[in-house]
Amino acid sequence: MAERAKAWGGRFSQATDPRVERFTESISFDARLAAVDVRGSQAHARMLAHVGLISAEECEQIVQGLAEILAEIERGAMAWKTELEDVHMHIESALIERLGDVGRKLHTGRSRNDQVATDLKLYVRDAIDELDRHLARLQSAFVERAERDLEVIVPGYTHLQRAQPVCASHYWLAYCEKFQRDRERLQDCRKRVNISPLGAAALAGSSLPIDRQHVAKLLEFDEPAGNSLDVSSDRDFLAEFAFCLSLISAHLSTWAEEWILWFTTEFGFLRLPDAYTTGSSIMPQKRNPDVLELIRGKTARVMSAVPRLLILLKGLPMAYNRDLQEDKLAVFDAYDATASCLELAPDVVAGAELNVERIESRLEDGFLDATALMEYLIRQGVPMRTAHHTVGSLVAECERRKCRLAELSLDDLRGRCDRIGPDVYQILGAKNAAAALISFGSGGPARVKEQLTVWQAKLADAE
Ligand code: ARG
């Protein structure tokens, strides 16, 4: 009798082994699809009424019944049962319990295969929109920092070795660029998400006069997918989405790592607010950047979703195979981890302070102005490679004398290259060298201010 209760129990004479029920269930992780499942089912019912497969009145009962079931789920009043497998079965069986035969009509012209694909697409579409808002907030936090830190010059690094001086704001706007590409990538992914699976049914479509265009429109999909076989096997959009999340978390972890470094005693560039740091259980003096470390660490969860999904998809024959049920675990974990980082990140960005005194006290270390001097020589007509060599030898001289380039006398400088004039001191020193950077997109103050205006306008437009 227990078997009769199963929606697919008609041809079975033996009850399912309870261990099999536990092994095959997905309700423990797909319950979070309840809201999108109801949205999809309501649209499906409206389509069925539109083509006359159910009456308008039956449709209203179904739409209303589903809304009540969702409310019950959201109140936490739904008892999830392993034997009902998944969220789709729970909602349908609750509907049948309420409406009897009318509830039994809902699944007309569809299958759980197109249903779960639809749910996932609706879920991912919402997730993309939510991520876009998060990323815009994060960009705004960086833009506000860029306004605040406009006067601060910091060392720029390559190979983590001091390279050339740039505006601190150049760093903040660099993150805006990365997160902008992330937003654009998500929008691109959204195009492929926004194709409706509904009505592809199990794998072959249906002999019933369903209207796939109509239901696609109701759910604000751009159009129905053109091949029913492809629909039930397609999880490309999840792999793509996981990749988008992975790059977001790569960018977040680059930022986190940089700030972890800048927060060390060795760098000392950054102060983090107490609210976003934690203490040590044994060392009383410690203040640890755990939030940043976890933002860096959660990339493991996010990035592993990509291989998990690809491995799941590899070699699966058409069309639906139960393997696909595992897709949700990877995607939800990756999405949750990314969203939790993005929720905190803007506040960390806004709350930190640059330790300007400390930055300035060591700004002349590391010959940040060497490239500026080389370019000065080029402007005086010295071939680039010769200029490079000359400045290299001047740096070596400074190292011997334990001094800076700006501390060399004009005679010392002219001893290596007679094209050097007294105006050389206008580009020596880190601040002068930063100010000398004028090319488009460079880290000098004029260009950074220009880009800051671009970002202010871009983010204001989007609001
Ligand atoms: N819980 C299933 C999943 O997540 C729903 C689809 C089941 N389809 C089937 N033919 N058994 O993939």
Side-chain angles (χ1 to χ4, degrees):
M1 193 56 216
E3 260 333 296
R4 289 285 132 75
K6 283 212 195 313
W8 41 257
R11 60 108 65 224
F12 288 78
S13 54
Q14 206 186 19
T16 320
D17 186 316
R19 287 174 310 165
V20 170
E21 288 182 335
R22 283 198 296 278
F23 186 69
T24 55
E25 66 85 27
S26 57
I27 189 60
S28 57
F29 52 90
D30 68 13
R32 70 156 81 188
L33 294 174
V36 285
D37 194 70
V38 163
R39 219 198 298 170
S41 289
Q42 288 174 327
H44 181 69
R46 292 202 167 99
M47 182 279 288
L48 293 177
H50 176 74
V51 299
L53 281 165
I54 60 173
S55 72
E57 195 195 320
E58 287 170 332
C59 172
E60 276 326 299
Q61 286 181 44
I62 290 174
V63 168
Q64 180 58 27
L66 287 168
E68 287 166 17
I69 291 164
L70 182 59
E72 188 182 319
I73 293 171
E74 283 170 351
R75 275 201 314 277
M78 169 74 87
W80 303 118
K81 298 186 193 116
T82 310
E83 54 290 9
L84 281 177
E85 278 187 47
D86 56 26
V87 69
H88 325 292
M89 292 294 210
H90 274 83
I91 292 174
E92 191 188 350
S93 95
L95 191 72
I96 292 169
E97 217 168 275
R98 269 163 208 262
L99 305 181
D101 275 349
V102 174
R104 288 190 184 90
K105 294 188 178 184
L106 171 63
H107 212 51
T108 305
R110 75 169 184 188
S111 133
R112 271 187 298 161
N113 299 349
D114 56 338
Q115 185 181 359
V116 71
T118 304
D119 287 10
L120 284 169
K121 286 193 156 183
L122 292 174
Y123 186 88
V124 169
R125 195 174 71 182
D126 287 349
I128 287 174
D129 295 344
E130 180 69 12
L131 287 165
D132 188 66
R133 285 188 287 274
H134 274 309
L135 288 166
R137 264 188 68 219
L138 183 55
Q139 286 178 311
S140 295
F142 275 117
V143 165
E144 276 159 35
R145 271 230 78 95
E147 290 162 7
R148 258 200 282 164
D149 297 331
L150 209 47
E151 304 304 319
V152 184
I153 303 296
V154 295
Y157 297 82
T158 61
H159 314 268
L160 211 50
Q161 300 288 317
R162 287 190 167 215
Q164 287 180 269
V166 293
C167 294
S169 304
H170 201 45
Y171 271 87
W172 312 150
L173 297 183
Y175 285 111
C176 285
E177 300 277 353
K178 292 183 192 302
F179 293 122
Q180 184 66 21
R181 289 194 296 276
D182 291 334
R183 291 177 69 185
E184 287 167 14
R185 215 175 340 265
L186 283 169
Q187 289 312 314
D188 192 57
C189 172
R190 199 183 191 284
K191 290 184 208 153
R192 283 171 293 280
V193 169
N194 214 29
I195 305 291
S196 175
L198 209 52
L203 77 159
S206 173
S207 61
L208 296 168
I210 55 172
D211 186 341
R212 294 196 54 210
Q213 276 76 11
H214 186 76
V215 76
K217 212 184 220 157
L218 290 176
L219 290 169
E220 291 171 66
F221 284 117
D222 293 331
E223 55 184 342
N227 185 305
S228 60
L229 266 182
D230 177 45
V231 166
S232 32
S233 60
D234 171 32
R235 294 294 183 275
D236 296 5
F237 65 100
L238 292 183
E240 257 189 79
F241 179 57
F243 177 73
C244 292
L245 294 174
S246 296
L247 264 188
I248 293 171
S249 72
H251 295 150
L252 283 170
S253 76
T254 292
W255 160 67
E257 170 63 8
E258 195 147 77
W259 277 28
I260 289 166
L261 282 172
W262 284 24
F263 186 59
T264 57
T265 307
E266 284 69 14
F267 269 81
F269 285 7
L270 201 69
R271 294 193 199 94
L272 291 174
D274 276 356
Y276 303 124
T277 53
T278 50
S280 156
S281 59
I282 176 168
M283 296 164 286
Q285 86 286 10
K286 289 292 289 287
R287 236 156 56 81
N288 296 327
D290 295 35
V291 171
L292 291 169
E293 289 169 304
L294 279 169
I295 287 175
R296 185 181 57 190
K298 281 180 195 286
T299 53
R301 289 189 197 215
V302 181
M303 292 180 180
S304 59
V306 175
R308 277 172 82 179
L309 287 162
L310 291 177
I311 293 165
L312 198 60
L313 294 176
K314 186 225 166 258
L316 272 192
M318 299 261 203
Y320 180 83
N321 295 276
R322 193 61 176 270
D323 315 44
L324 292 176
Q325 179 164 290
E326 296 275 319
D327 57 4
K328 288 164 241 9
L329 291 162
V331 171
F332 294 159
D333 203 22
Y335 174 58
D336 290 346
T338 310
S340 70
C341 295
L342 286 173
E343 223 171 276
L344 271 178
D347 300 322
V348 179
V349 170
E353 282 301 335
L354 285 177
N355 190 349
V356 180
E357 236 169 77
R358 161 88 181 191
I359 293 168
E360 288 192 341
S361 73
R362 304 198 30 212
L363 199 57
E364 300 305 332
D365 291 0
F367 303 100
L368 290 167
D369 49 0
T371 306
L373 177 56
M374 180 191 72
E375 290 183 343
Y376 170 89
L377 294 182
I378 292 170
R379 281 196 297 279
Q380 312 308 310
V382 180
M384 186 273 171
R385 280 289 158 224
T386 314
H388 188 288
H389 192 85
T390 304
V391 176
S393 74
L394 283 167
V395 166
E397 177 68 24
C398 287
E399 277 177 336
R400 271 192 300 278
R401 294 201 212 167
K402 296 194 180 12
C403 74
R404 295 169 180 150
L405 287 168
E407 288 164 350
L408 295 174
S409 69
L410 191 57
D411 285 346
D412 290 335
L413 291 164
R414 289 177 60 86
R416 305 265 170 173
C417 176
D418 59 11
R419 307 233 185 152
I420 298 179
D423 59 345
V424 71
Y425 294 103
Q426 287 165 22
I427 57 95
L428 287 179
K431 286 196 176 176
N432 288 335
L437 295 166
I438 50 164
S439 63
F440 179 81
S442 66
R447 291 304 193 169
V448 172
K449 272 179 204 148
E450 185 177 86
Q451 286 299 313
L452 177 58
T453 318
V454 171
W455 279 107
Q456 285 162 331
K458 204 182 275 191
L459 293 176
D461 277 355
E463 268 165 20

